[in-house]
Amino acid sequence: MRWQRARERLIEGVIRLCGLSSIIIVAFIFLFLLKEGVALFRTVSVGDFLGGRRWYPISEPPRFGVLPLILGSCAVTLGAAALSVPLGIASALCIAEIARGWTKEALKTGIELLAAIPSVVLGFIGIAVLVPAIKQLFHLPTGLTALSGAITLAFMAMPTIVSITEDALAAVPRGYREAALALGATQWQMMWRVLLPAAGSGIVAAVMLGIGRVIGETMAVMMVTGNAAVIPRSLLQPVRTMTATIAAEMGETVRGSDHYFALFAIGIVLFAISFLVNLIADVFLHRERS
């Protein structure tokens, strides 16, 4: 008995240590970004950095306005959310409530396999198939647009949305379904008016986590969006995201230069956005559990 208690305390201590170490690592990452990024604001004001409309880091004088990069990231992310959220929720409803037997298992396996595809492979598929199709369909000079990035990222967000939404639907008590059907509701009315509202918190958390998954994506979005640092006025324009900017320019910048510090400042903005998205998702998840 004494040995069992000691073993339980040891396991609890290891789990607590792992949890604390995760928090400490994230804090150190943020402090490192802060240390390198804040140095930019000795020469560039925060307003000029966040509100500037030009990103010309190697011009004379250099311009470090990240507004086009922020708007480019938002355009691609919101476009991906608009595509993946309806498809993801519909797919989760199909798997949880409609599909049966081997069909259900095949659909679940397919979603999991989609999550296992590397982002660079999706980028290659986008360049080879999606970009020429969008160019021809909309009669554009190039298919490297925000729409190409949104569609590519939608495929990356769907597995997260489908998996968590299905878990939220499965957690709804079976009595809800039986009561709705007993009152004369059709299966569609039961799903639309009972099941989805009951699992609302979990679905919102799934959407937020899916958005958090794609907002930090780099390779795929860099390959299919055109990488033009301009303020987008439609999804049919080339854009450049914050992640693509860091990936494309970090290897070419001079350590200690304003350009170097500006890339870390972009990292701070991206970290803050990702943290906010995950915080909102965590709030909804805890609300569902309570």
Side-chain angles (χ1 to χ4, degrees), residues 25-47:
I25 289 172
V26 172
F28 274 119
I29 291 174
F30 178 71
L31 290 175
F32 177 72
L33 290 174
L34 197 65
K35 171 181 174 295
E36 298 290 342
V38 168
L40 173 70
F41 302 122
R42 299 171 185 168
T43 57
V44 180
S45 67
V46 176

Side-chain angles (χ1 to χ4, degrees), residues 268-280:
I268 295 174
V269 176
L270 187 61
F271 185 94
I273 294 174
S274 299
F275 179 80
L276 180 62
V277 169
N278 284 279
L279 179 63
I280 294 173

Side-chain angles (χ1 to χ4, degrees), residues 115-135:
I117 299 176
S119 60
V120 68
V121 174
L122 289 176
F124 276 125
I125 295 174
I127 289 177
V129 179
L130 182 61
V131 169
I134 289 179
K135 177 181 178 180

Side-chain angles (χ1 to χ4, degrees), residues 6 41 56 75 98 147 165 186 188 191 206 216:
F41 302 122
Y56 299 140
I98 299 175
L147 181 60
T165 299
T186 64
W188 167 249
M191 290 189 296

Side-chain angles (χ1 to χ4, degrees), residues 47-61:
D48 290 339
F49 177 72
L50 294 177
R53 303 168 66 92
R54 293 185 176 89
W55 176 262
Y56 299 140
I58 59 175
S59 65
E60 191 58 44

